[in-house]
Amino acid sequence: MPRNCLPALALLLGAAAVAAEPARWAVEPHSRLADPGPAQAPQVALTLDACGGAFDAELLALLVKRRIPATVFVTKKWLDRNPAGVAALLAHPELFDLQNHGTAHVPAVLGAGRRVYGIAGQPDLAHLETEVLGAAKAITALTGQAPVYFRGATAVYDETALKAIPALGHQVAGFSVNADAGATLPKAAIVARLRAVQPGDVVIAHLNKPAGSTAEAFAEALPALQARGLRFVTLTQAGGLAPVNSPVKAPSAAGSRGRS
Ligand SMILES: [Zn+2]
């Protein structure tokens, strides 16, 4: 929503609710690979979110054709709705590492009325636990491997969530290059962001929006990255993430347009 709607929204939500809660923050953690690799073989990680929606078969086929590994953050919702996508991922366990994007794609900010990009957060900690553990159970059933990385819907978290998620057996997976902004960017913009990738970067893009320009942009940019000698690895292969910064964002609704 436009920023100038926020004061009105805050009034509508009720001053009592605001006054009853302490000031709350939420952040979008950024991460790079802990090890960018040797100079002669630098490594980067491509991470693809499968939020809800559909399956970008063209994007996955490109990665298979070019033998590019990727970490795919899947929701249980996406798994349930996209059996062809699931089959395509499971057909290439040497390339695709499935990690946890939540059960129902609800942002990891807790409390009544909290929203990120217009998407309502969790009412309480019990719901966050269900969000994390429901998807973990589904991924483990599919792959035989329990996920160890979690990326919440919208990749924004509050303080409670950042403490709770590690206790649920997951490390929060940030990123350093937002390649497609929820598959909303035009092709040229995605290509430009991909061409700026440096050793150690963790790229985020989306596997659930085939109508976007992500696959077309990746088809143009990935060969150039490979020609530069960059080596793609999954987060599991990479040997861990290192935080780079945590820009503090507004504690509640920041707008309705953005990644899904
Ligand atoms: Zn998502």
Side-chain angles (χ1 to χ4, degrees), residues 114-175:
R114 299 201 73 191
R115 292 177 171 271
V116 184
Y117 300 115
I119 307 174
Q122 300 285 6
D124 52 37
L125 192 55
H127 283 79
L128 175 65
E129 290 179 0
T130 299
E131 175 77 3
V132 175
L133 298 180
K137 184 177 177 183
I139 292 166
T140 304
L142 277 175
T143 67
Q145 298 269 332
V148 296
Y149 288 104
F150 179 80
R151 178 179 289 152
T154 73
V156 171
Y157 311 80
D158 71 8
E159 185 176 15
T160 304
L162 286 178
K163 289 178 181 171
I165 292 163
L168 297 170
H170 291 69
Q171 180 180 352
V172 168
F175 56 89

Side-chain angles (χ1 to χ4, degrees), residues 73-122:
F73 284 90
V74 294
T75 64
K76 183 178 186 300
K77 180 166 78 170
W78 186 88
L79 293 172
D80 290 343
R81 292 180 180 177
N82 291 278
V86 172
L89 290 170
L90 296 182
H92 295 281
E94 79 285 7
L95 291 178
F96 304 124
D97 181 17
L98 271 61
Q99 296 293 334
N100 192 338
H101 196 34
T103 299
H105 204 252
V106 177
V109 295
L110 279 65
R114 299 201 73 191
R115 292 177 171 271
V116 184
Y117 300 115
I119 307 174
Q122 300 285 6

Side-chain angles (χ1 to χ4, degrees), residues 11 22 56 60 68 84-85 87 120 131-132 143 159 171 190 192 217 225 236 243 247:
L11 289 173
D56 192 339
L60 207 71
I68 293 176
E131 175 77 3
V132 175
T143 67
E159 185 176 15
Q171 180 180 352
I190 301 171
L225 295 181
T236 302

Side-chain angles (χ1 to χ4, degrees), residues 45-51 56 59 62-63 70-74 101 105 151 155 174-185 190-191 193-194 197 202-209 213-218 222 232 259-260:
L46 179 56
T47 68
L48 300 174
D49 289 4
C51 310
D56 192 339
L59 177 56
L62 170 73
L63 300 181
T71 304
V72 183
F73 284 90
V74 294
H101 196 34
H105 204 252
R151 178 179 289 152
F175 56 89
S176 59
V177 174
N178 187 348
D180 69 355
T184 62
L185 295 180
I190 301 171
V191 168
R193 291 183 178 201
L194 290 174
V197 164
V202 177
V203 178
I204 181 175
H206 286 76
L207 186 63
N208 63 311
K209 293 188 173 175
S213 300
T214 303
E216 292 84 349
F218 274 57
L222 291 185
F232 290 90
R259 76 178 58 86
S260 64

